Amino acid sequence: MWGDQFPADRAVDGNIDQWRSHEHCALPDRGQGTNAWWQVDLGGIFDILRVEIYSGNNRCKPGYFGGQCQFKSQCRNSKTSNDVTGHCPSGCPDDRWGVGCILNINNYYNDPKGTSYMGKLTHTTHNSGLQPYNVSCIPWIKQKRYYTFPDGGRAEAVNYCRNPSDSPYAWCYRNFKYNYAYCILDSMNCVTGRFDVNCVKECHCSGGTEDCQKKNGGCQTECAPHFNGDTCQGKHIVDIYFGVA
């Protein structure tokens, strides 16, 4: 009855953060309606003086995700993303990639060489000095050299621009003689409220109103309530309370 994303034991994990997208709340599976119930085994006999119930904040409206629903996803076919993680079950449009499909395929994010780039750019844009290249990439699975791709294997990398060799830029083969050319993409900062390579992490600065450092997530003032650590990614456990969302 209780889902994997919001398991029942989070009702007594000691954290009263009420934002459901921070994943501290317990929440029954959709469809339970008024039939949902919850119980706890305290492991002994105790005098219960009081029970405090904290109602979780509503889920993000369709198409938004994040700790305070501040990010708008851009899923394929305008489908709805997961309101906590931003995952798009329908995948990303060809011109988008990353968490919630919020990244542009023509850009790296906090990744100067593009070694973690997983966008779907499929043509080269490098000028060799002799002639400009603007040709389609051939599938990686056609080449026999061993490379490690951020997507997984050669099949998953399809014919997208990648940098499996720690070259100065992402690149791809442009013909079956294995001549290659670079795919010049722009190195960009993350959108407001996100940081790290490919913008995979969410900022948790004071009150959620301050933006963090784009590379390391550091806050100029302090972490938001219930978060700690140099990058404010640690979850602070407060005194034990009951908190069923």
Side-chain angles (χ1 to χ4, degrees), residues 104 106-111 185-190 199 214:
N104 188 300
N106 294 313
N107 300 331
Y108 305 144
Y109 294 84
N110 294 331
D111 182 22
L185 296 100
D186 294 322
S187 181
M188 301 290 289
N189 286 329
C190 291
C199 310
K214 299 300 184 182

Side-chain angles (χ1 to χ4, degrees), residues 22 24 193-196 200-205 212-213 216-219 223-224 226-236:
H22 287 169
H24 293 306
R194 304 199 71 85
F195 73 100
D196 206 7
V200 296
K201 295 181 180 179
E202 181 178 341
C203 300
H204 296 300
C205 295
C212 65
Q213 296 293 321
N216 59 26
C219 300
C223 298
H226 313 303
F227 290 92
N228 59 20
D230 293 339
T231 61
C232 298
Q233 297 298 294
K235 295 180 179 180
H236 177 61

Side-chain angles (χ1 to χ4, degrees), residues 144-173:
K144 298 180 180 179
R145 295 188 64 179
Y146 175 79
Y147 288 121
T148 299
F149 297 90
D151 323 64
R154 292 180 296 173
E156 289 77 12
V158 196
N159 65 329
Y160 304 139
C161 293
R162 293 291 183 264
N163 187 1
S165 57
D166 197 32
S167 297
Y169 306 101
W171 58 278
C172 70
Y173 289 114

Side-chain angles (χ1 to χ4, degrees), residues 60-102:
C60 300
K61 64 181 181 180
Y64 287 82
F65 69 99
Q68 298 187 44
C69 305
Q70 68 271 47
F71 305 112
K72 180 175 174 56
S73 60
Q74 300 190 43
C75 304
R76 184 183 295 276
N77 299 325
S78 300
K79 298 294 185 180
T80 300
S81 64
N82 182 288
D83 62 347
V84 175
T85 65
H87 173 68
C88 290
S90 62
C92 295
D94 289 343
D95 62 342
R96 313 297 298 182
W97 67 289
V99 177
C101 304
I102 62 176

Side-chain angles (χ1 to χ4, degrees), residues 10-16 50 52 54 238-243:
R10 287 188 179 163
V12 288
D13 66 355
N15 196 314
I16 59 173
R50 73 179 188 272
E52 296 190 13
Y54 295 83
V238 298
D239 293 336
I240 297 297
Y241 288 93
F242 295 95

